[in-house]
Amino acid sequence: MAQVQWSDLPVEILPMIFQKLKDPRDVYRCGLVCVLWKSIAKTILPPFLLLSNVGTFKDETGTFHFKAPLNKQSCSLFNTQTNESHEIFLPEVEKCWFSSSSFGWLLTICFEPPHEVHLLNPFNRDRIQLPSASEFRWPCDLRVVTSTTPLNPTCLVLVITHFKGALAFCRPGDKSWTCFEDFERCDNDVAFYKGEFYSVNTLGHLFHLHCNIPVAQKVLPPLSIEFMHHNYLVELDGNILLVVRYTKELFTSGFEVYELDWVKKRWIKVENIGNNAILLGIGSSISLPIGLFRNFKANCIYFISDNLTSFFLKMDLMPKDNTGFYNMTTGQIEYLYDQASLIWLSSLNWFVPPSPVIYKQNSTEIICREEKGMVKSWFSKIQRSLLNWYTPKI
């Protein structure tokens, strides 16, 4: 009798099997089997909320402190579809800050000088070294945007810090950061769009960032905006959008969305984003069709408490008061996740799982990881899920 290959399982049952795997790393490993499994795994893994390890912590006297735990060897991901938190063992993050990711790779910054910087894949623990963060005044505030997966040799890495508005870039392998010296302060967000980096400031100025020169070229005049606000850039259906987040007394009060008219060089207000949702986060904003994930609603903007500086200023307030979704149809705000107190210990950012990279030679030794002296059998979990799916319920 011929041996049946894992990749020959009926495609109809694969989503049901993958959904029974509780650990997101196991779903990721399923995507390493073949191209078909990879395509299905990508529809099962939702955008997570990355719980930064930089946040507020109480000491024995009840006093709040803004810092990161010294000996933490894990990162926490909050599943937006199941409201479950996943603790991922990562000894590489010990004595490091992390609060940002791009293409599923965490930006980690060592506490101690010279503040070594790495991009870390939390699902397979691969690391890529970047220049140190010693030249940045507040290295814990760095956020990252990459042009593509860091495994791509053409990858550009851009970092932004909000405390002083610093903006710099490098390529993996560079020894130092290249800074945009002439860049105006008070920048809000950066995005990679159609092969180029763009940034936006508090006035709605859009800048085209030329990383070869480097210079920041202004694209648009300012947008007329009232009250306190924060601007985000996000791509939707091939267009770049500006999302304006209004706040009153540090609380989110509403949103406006604008689409860029490249010919007339102006922002055009958007009233409806259709059957899509926008997830806002500094350097991590994404749009997605809501059909993929059941807990996201159409024509809604999901926002989080993502700014470390403002988080520090309002540390006596619970950031759950600043995390929820805005319905563009009704103009109403609804707050989320009030039952999950764990996620309110720190600022948040969106984490989109990395795309599995399929190698020609694949085995259980490559796919499975050794954790604290114990090898977790990935294939045994698939077998168990198959049995649970096939066994009739009495």
Side-chain angles (χ1 to χ4, degrees):
M1 183 176 178
Q3 186 177 4
V4 178
Q5 299 295 319
W6 283 103
S7 56
D8 293 333
L9 284 172
V11 64
E12 296 82 7
I13 69 172
L14 290 177
M16 292 180 280
I17 296 171
F18 292 179
Q19 287 171 351
K20 290 184 178 294
L21 298 172
K22 298 298 184 182
D23 192 325
R25 289 170 297 178
D26 292 329
V27 180
Y28 173 83
R29 289 160 185 157
C30 286
L32 299 174
V33 172
C34 63
V35 174
L36 174 62
W37 282 38
K38 174 181 176 178
S39 65
I40 296 174
K42 290 173 68 175
T43 67
I44 300 299
L45 287 171
F48 290 85
L49 283 174
L50 169 66
L51 281 61
S52 167
N53 70 336
V54 183
T56 56
F57 298 87
K58 279 186 178 181
D59 61 20
E60 58 276 4
T61 66
T63 303
F64 277 105
H65 296 275
F66 184 68
K67 61 179 183 180
L70 184 62
N71 299 315
K72 186 177 176 67
Q73 293 187 337
S74 64
C75 81
S76 298
L77 298 177
F78 183 78
N79 190 321
T80 56
Q81 304 302 292
T82 64
N83 287 0
E84 296 175 335
S85 293
H86 302 276
E87 196 80 9
I88 297 180
F89 175 66
L90 283 175
E92 294 84 356
V93 303
E94 184 177 12
K95 298 183 180 179
C96 288
W97 294 294
F98 59 86
S99 61
S100 176
S101 68
S102 185
F103 283 87
W105 290 68
L106 299 179
L107 182 74
T108 66
I109 303 124
C110 183
F111 293 164
E112 300 172 353
H115 303 301
E116 290 186 356
V117 179
H118 292 86
L119 290 172
L120 170 67
N121 184 331
F123 287 177
N124 62 17
R125 290 165 54 184
D126 287 344
R127 282 204 305 178
I128 296 174
Q129 187 165 9
L130 300 178
S132 77
S134 57
E135 59 192 275
F136 299 106
R137 183 174 177 182
W138 282 70
C140 68
D141 196 23
L142 286 180
R143 300 299 175 96
V144 65
V145 179
T146 62
S147 60
T148 181
T149 170
L151 297 176
N152 190 317
T154 66
C155 179
L156 278 171
V157 182
L158 194 78
V159 291
I160 180 174
T161 174
H162 286 265
F163 183 74
K164 282 292 184 180
L167 194 64
F169 73 93
C170 76
R171 293 171 177 83
D174 287 354
K175 299 301 182 183
S176 61
W177 295 97
T178 301
C179 297
F180 288 90
E181 300 291 350
D182 62 341
F183 191 72
E184 295 184 12
R185 302 293 183 174
C186 302
D187 49 307
N188 276 181
D189 197 18
V190 290
F192 189 74
Y193 173 71
K194 292 188 176 181
E196 303 287 346
F197 281 110
Y198 293 88
S199 70
V200 65
N201 65 11
T202 55
L203 298 176
H205 283 122
L206 183 70
F207 293 88
H208 182 191
L209 305 176
H210 300 273
C211 292
N212 292 326
I213 304 175
V215 295
Q217 178 183 347
K218 189 180 296 184
V219 176
L220 292 178
L223 182 68
S224 178
I225 300 174
E226 299 177 355
F227 309 116
M228 293 180 61
H229 61 278
H230 191 101
N231 295 327
Y232 299 85
L233 295 175
V234 61
E235 183 175 352
L236 175 64
D237 294 334
N239 299 311
I240 191 167
L241 302 183
L242 171 68
V243 183
V244 183
R245 178 177 180 172
Y246 292 103
T247 59
K248 290 183 180 180
E249 297 178 353
L250 297 179
F251 292 103
T252 300
S253 59
F255 291 86
E256 289 181 343
V257 180
Y258 297 86
E259 180 182 334
L260 179 58
D261 184 327
W262 289 94
V263 176
K264 297 181 179 179
K265 301 291 186 184
R266 63 188 180 95
W267 294 110
I268 300 174
K269 192 169 184 179
V270 175
E271 303 291 349
N272 192 299
I273 58 172
N275 201 39
N276 299 289
I278 291 176
L279 315 183
L280 288 186
I282 298 172
S284 67
S285 298
I286 59 172
S287 63
L288 48 82
I290 57 95
L292 292 178
F293 305 108
R294 65 183 185 275
N295 277 10
F296 292 121
K297 297 182 179 181
N299 203 33
C300 287
I301 300 170
Y302 289 78
F303 58 96
I304 53 179
S305 184
D306 60 352
N307 191 319
L308 288 176
T309 305
S310 63
F311 186 83
F312 172 71
L313 293 174
K314 61 180 191 318
M315 65 164 54
D316 57 324
L317 304 175
M318 295 298 282
K320 67 183 179 183
D321 296 327
N322 226 11
T323 299
F325 69 88
Y326 174 79
N327 190 316
M328 293 183 65
T329 302
T330 64
Q332 300 298 310
I333 289 177
E334 182 175 332
Y335 295 109
L336 295 175
Y337 313 129
D338 56 353
Q339 74 279 19
S341 58
L342 172 64
I343 75 172
W344 310 128
L345 295 178
S346 66
S347 68
L348 306 171
N349 221 329
W350 294 105
F351 175 85
V352 179
S355 180
V357 178
I358 301 173
Y359 298 96
K360 291 183 179 179
Q361 295 182 346
N362 232 343
S363 67
T364 55
E365 288 75 26
I366 295 175
I367 295 176
C368 294
R369 270 281 175 186
E370 183 173 334
E371 255 179 59
K372 297 182 178 179
M374 299 176 61
V375 177
K376 289 191 171 182
S377 174
W378 171 76
F379 287 107
S380 68
K381 294 183 180 182
I382 297 290
Q383 289 173 323
R384 194 179 312 120
S385 294
L386 271 171
L387 289 173
N388 292 337
W389 172 80
Y390 182 74
T391 303
K393 300 293 186 293
I394 301 175

